[in-house]
Structures are given as structure tokens and as C-alpha cells.
Amino acid sequence: MATPGEETDHDFSSTNAEASFTNPTQASQLAKGDYILIKNHPCKIISKSTSKPGKHGHAKINFEALCLFTAKKYTDLHPAHATVEAPIVVRREYLLLDIEGGYLSLWDQTAGGALKDDVRVPKTDETGTRMAEMGELLGRLWGKEGEKDIMVTVLSAMGMEVVDGVKEVERG
């Protein structure tokens, strides 16, 4: 450890891409469709309501949001001026190559043809959830023999990933 007045040699020229999974954001700046971190769950806001300020207080914002990975509903209440954490969410499309052992084999056409094989097939046993819908659609499309490719949209947040969309596209 450096003593006062002693110079240290630190290299801040590069950072780890996973250094932070969130960005600080003012609660009043978030809207329906934005992302918020509630109880360490990355969530998509489905409704936002603002209460009027009281005699000595501040306006409060009530958020209702769905977890990106479990579709469980969470609520949170913050003063409008408070700083909240918004997860960094990345959406990327991949070409489905194979399904094996409960995992998808995906090809990232934008990253120099990199293969990705660590995304789980969405569970279909949670009836009525978006994940179940994606799993069922993926199963139906994969079982078809046809002239079309299957594109899979993957959401990444907080170091986790989930299938968020599945669609057929013409082979090109």
C-alpha cells in the first residue's frame, strides 16, 4: 500500500467487460418497458405509478416488473429522486444449429461465426409463462423438416441468459 505522497503505478487503460452488470439511474427517469433491478432480479417494468408528495415528503414511484428469467412479478417503491440500479440487458440473435442434452447450439453470425452452446432450452413445464411459450415454439419449429432456418433471440443480463424469441427465416 502506498504511503501519502508516494506515487503508485496503476493501469486504468482497460476494464473487465463484466465489471458492472448495472447502471445507476434516477427512478423518475424509468418508464414502462425499461429495465430495473428489484431484489437482485433483472426485471422489465410493466407498470409505474407516481404518488403526489405529502406535506413534508417527496413523490414516490411504485414499480411493477417481471423478472427476465423467471417471469415472476416484483414490486418496488422508491422516492422519485432516488437512484436505482438498471441492469445492462443485451439482446442478440443467433442461428440455431442443434439441440442436444438440454442446451442449444447457436451460431453468432455477427461475431465472426462464433459458436455458443451454453444456453439452456427453455422449460415447458411452467404453463402460461413466456419461457414455456418459447420452449414449446422452439420444439415445434425444430421438429419440422423444412426450407427455413430458426433464429433464436437471447437476452443477457447479470451474467445470465434466457431465450426471449424464436422465429423462422428463409434460408439465404
Side-chain angles (χ1 to χ4, degrees):
M1 184 164 167
T3 58
E6 181 181 337
E7 289 190 33
T8 58
D9 188 24
H10 296 287
D11 181 14
F12 295 108
S13 61
S14 66
T15 61
N16 182 351
E18 296 179 347
S20 177
F21 291 124
T22 63
N23 284 327
T25 308
Q26 191 171 8
S28 62
Q29 298 298 311
L30 294 174
K32 182 178 176 180
D34 288 341
Y35 300 104
I36 186 170
L37 193 66
I38 300 177
K39 298 177 184 155
N40 282 335
H41 294 275
C43 299
K44 186 172 187 175
I45 298 170
I46 56 174
S47 75
K48 170 185 168 182
S49 59
T50 306
S51 65
K52 293 181 180 181
K55 184 175 179 181
H56 300 289
H58 298 279
K60 302 259 191 298
I61 299 176
N62 186 34
F63 294 102
E64 279 190 11
L66 294 177
C67 177
L68 297 177
F69 302 111
T70 64
K72 183 177 176 185
K73 186 186 279 190
Y74 288 94
T75 59
D76 211 357
L77 184 68
H78 293 281
H81 67 277
T83 300
V84 297
E85 294 296 318
I88 298 169
V89 178
V90 177
R91 178 184 305 268
R92 181 171 264 159
E93 274 197 351
Y94 299 92
L95 176 67
L96 178 62
L97 300 176
D98 195 11
I99 299 176
E100 187 176 324
Y103 288 89
L104 304 175
S105 180
L106 304 169
W107 181 41
D108 186 350
Q109 297 170 311
T110 61
L115 293 177
K116 182 171 188 57
D117 58 4
D118 59 349
V119 178
R120 288 191 161 277
V121 174
K123 295 180 181 178
T124 58
D125 59 354
E126 299 174 19
T127 307
T129 67
R130 176 126 172 95
M131 276 51 89
E133 291 172 21
M134 291 299 109
E136 290 165 7
L137 178 59
L138 190 57
R140 278 196 313 273
L141 294 178
W142 184 248
K144 287 173 43 177
E145 289 292 326
E147 299 294 317
K148 296 185 177 185
D149 287 329
I150 300 172
M151 296 300 292
V152 176
T153 303
V154 176
L155 275 184
S156 302
M158 306 290 294
M160 298 181 286
E161 296 176 313
V162 68
V163 173
D164 187 56
V166 178
K167 66 181 177 183
E168 283 184 309
V169 294
E170 294 294 327
R171 287 196 176 138

